[in-house]
Amino acid sequence: QESLGGNARTTLVICCSPSSYNESETKTTLQFGDRAKMIKNKVEINVELTAEEWRKRYEKQKEECENLKRLLNLYTIELNLWRKGESVPAGEQVNIKNIRQSSGANRISTKDIAITSAVPTSSTPPPSVLRELEEERGKLCQQLDEKDEDIHKQTQLVEQLTLQIKDLQEIIEKTQEESSLLKHKIIEVEQELSRTQEEVQEVMQALEELAISYEDKDSEILSLQYERESLAIEIEKLQSSVQSRDDDIKSLNDKLTSERKRNKHSIVNIFRELSEMGNILGSKSDDRL
């Protein structure tokens, strides 16, 4: 019952087998279904109520509890009259159906109690009426207990809601303080943002000037590179001319060394011939002497 009952519509499907082999299981399943069918759920919508709505519901339940107490008093008075041996005419007896129909809209007045207590005595009521009154009295007591429990629960809920409202008020105050601090911080951040925007503008201007100077330097670098390339071409030409001059000088040096060797050889021959001629002239002069 605790598992199937609750604040919901519950549908239970049981599976049975027509085979004789499963006779015991089918029987227990059907008995379980019969017992589960007796469980009645009270379906209610799960709604989060405000404190005012909880207060109205509490007042309504309190009013119903008072009506049930008055009705219980009427039944108790009538039952006491029957037990004392007095009789109550049918027109002045407490009608359960009429009271149930009118209990939702109207309260049970104390006039009804006074009229019921003033009923004349005659004879004892039948046992069926006494049983019905006892059963109705028990039902009313049970409903009264349930209403008391509901009122107790609702009072607890109201207290919890008041505590929650206090907590929410404290949270709202804290959030208001935090929002004021955040507003001050936002103002400071906006001021810093304006200052940073000015600094960014100055930096952008400096970057634009640097870009202009970079373009000028780039053009100068391109002109210098062009001059460098032209100078490199001239240097290559000069190196080639110097190389050709070196080759000419080398050939001239070779020719000069060969001429020197030749002249040296010719001079040696001339000196040799002169020495031979001197020797010949010397021998002739000796012969003359």
Side-chain angles (χ1 to χ4, degrees):
Q1 184 175 357
E2 293 177 356
S3 301
L4 297 177
N7 183 16
R9 294 187 182 275
T10 306
T11 302
L12 183 65
V13 179
I14 59 174
C15 298
C16 302
S17 174
S19 176
S20 60
Y21 178 75
N22 298 322
E23 182 180 358
S24 60
E25 294 179 359
T26 301
K27 184 178 179 180
T28 54
T29 303
L30 290 172
Q31 288 175 353
F32 169 74
D34 189 26
R35 290 195 304 273
K37 192 176 179 180
M38 301 300 293
I39 299 170
K40 302 296 181 182
N41 291 352
K42 186 179 179 182
V43 181
E44 294 180 358
I45 300 173
N46 291 324
V47 180
E48 293 183 359
L49 301 177
T50 61
E52 185 65 23
E53 290 173 348
W54 279 115
R55 188 182 65 77
K56 289 180 181 179
R57 183 175 285 187
Y58 171 74
E59 294 293 335
K60 185 178 178 181
Q61 294 293 329
K62 188 176 180 182
E63 186 177 354
E64 289 181 1
C65 186
E66 289 176 357
N67 289 332
L68 289 172
K69 285 181 179 179
R70 291 190 183 95
L71 183 61
L72 183 62
N73 289 329
L74 289 174
Y75 277 120
T76 305
I77 292 168
E78 187 174 348
L79 183 63
N80 290 328
L81 290 173
W82 286 110
R83 284 178 177 175
K84 288 178 182 178
E86 299 175 357
S87 64
V88 180
E92 295 180 358
Q93 291 180 3
V94 179
N95 193 349
I96 298 168
K97 294 182 180 179
N98 294 332
I99 290 171
R100 282 182 177 176
Q101 290 175 359
S102 62
S103 62
N106 301 320
R107 292 186 178 180
I108 301 167
S109 62
T110 56
K111 185 178 179 181
D112 297 331
I113 301 172
I115 291 169
T116 309
S117 60
V119 173
T121 62
S122 63
S123 62
T124 59
S128 60
V129 175
L130 290 174
R131 283 197 299 272
E132 185 179 358
L133 289 171
E134 287 289 342
E135 290 176 358
E136 194 66 27
R137 185 172 180 273
K139 290 179 181 178
L140 288 172
C141 291
Q142 186 178 359
Q143 290 179 2
L144 187 62
D145 293 335
E146 291 177 356
K147 294 296 180 181
D148 288 334
E149 290 178 358
D150 293 336
I151 290 169
H152 182 65
K153 289 180 181 178
Q154 289 178 3
T155 51
Q156 288 180 350
L157 288 172
V158 170
E159 291 176 356
Q160 289 178 0
L161 287 171
T162 52
L163 293 174
Q164 289 178 0
I165 289 168
K166 289 180 181 179
D167 295 334
L168 289 172
Q169 288 177 352
E170 292 177 356
I171 292 167
I172 288 167
E173 291 176 357
K174 289 181 181 178
T175 51
Q176 287 177 353
E177 292 176 357
E178 291 177 356
S179 64
S180 61
L181 292 173
L182 287 172
K183 286 179 180 177
H184 290 300
K185 288 182 180 179
I186 287 167
I187 292 168
E188 293 177 356
V189 169
E190 287 178 351
Q191 292 176 356
E192 291 180 358
L193 183 62
S194 61
R195 288 196 294 270
T196 52
Q197 285 178 353
E198 292 176 356
E199 291 177 356
V200 167
Q201 288 179 357
E202 293 177 356
V203 170
M204 291 296 292
Q205 290 177 358
L207 288 173
E208 288 177 357
E209 293 176 356
L210 286 172
I212 293 167
S213 63
Y214 176 76
E215 289 177 356
D216 296 335
K217 295 292 183 183
D218 194 11
S219 60
E220 290 178 0
I221 288 167
L222 290 173
S223 61
L224 289 172
Q225 286 179 353
Y226 180 72
E227 291 177 359
R228 181 175 172 276
E229 289 176 357
S230 61
L231 288 172
I233 292 167
E234 291 179 359
I235 288 167
E236 287 179 357
K237 290 179 180 179
L238 289 173
Q239 285 179 352
S240 61
S241 63
V242 167
Q243 187 68 30
S244 62
R245 295 289 176 83
D246 289 335
D247 293 336
D248 294 337
I249 290 167
K250 188 175 180 181
S251 62
L252 289 172
N253 286 326
D254 292 336
K255 289 180 181 179
L256 183 60
T257 51
S258 62
E259 288 292 332
R260 283 178 179 176
K261 287 180 181 179
R262 194 180 298 112
N263 290 329
K264 187 176 180 181
H265 184 66
S266 61
I267 288 167
V268 170
N269 291 328
I270 289 167
F271 278 120
R272 187 180 299 152
E273 289 177 356
L274 286 174
S275 63
E276 288 178 356
M277 288 177 68
N279 290 326
I280 292 169
L281 289 174
S283 62
K284 286 182 177 182
S285 62
D286 288 335
D287 289 337
R288 287 177 183 173
L289 294 176

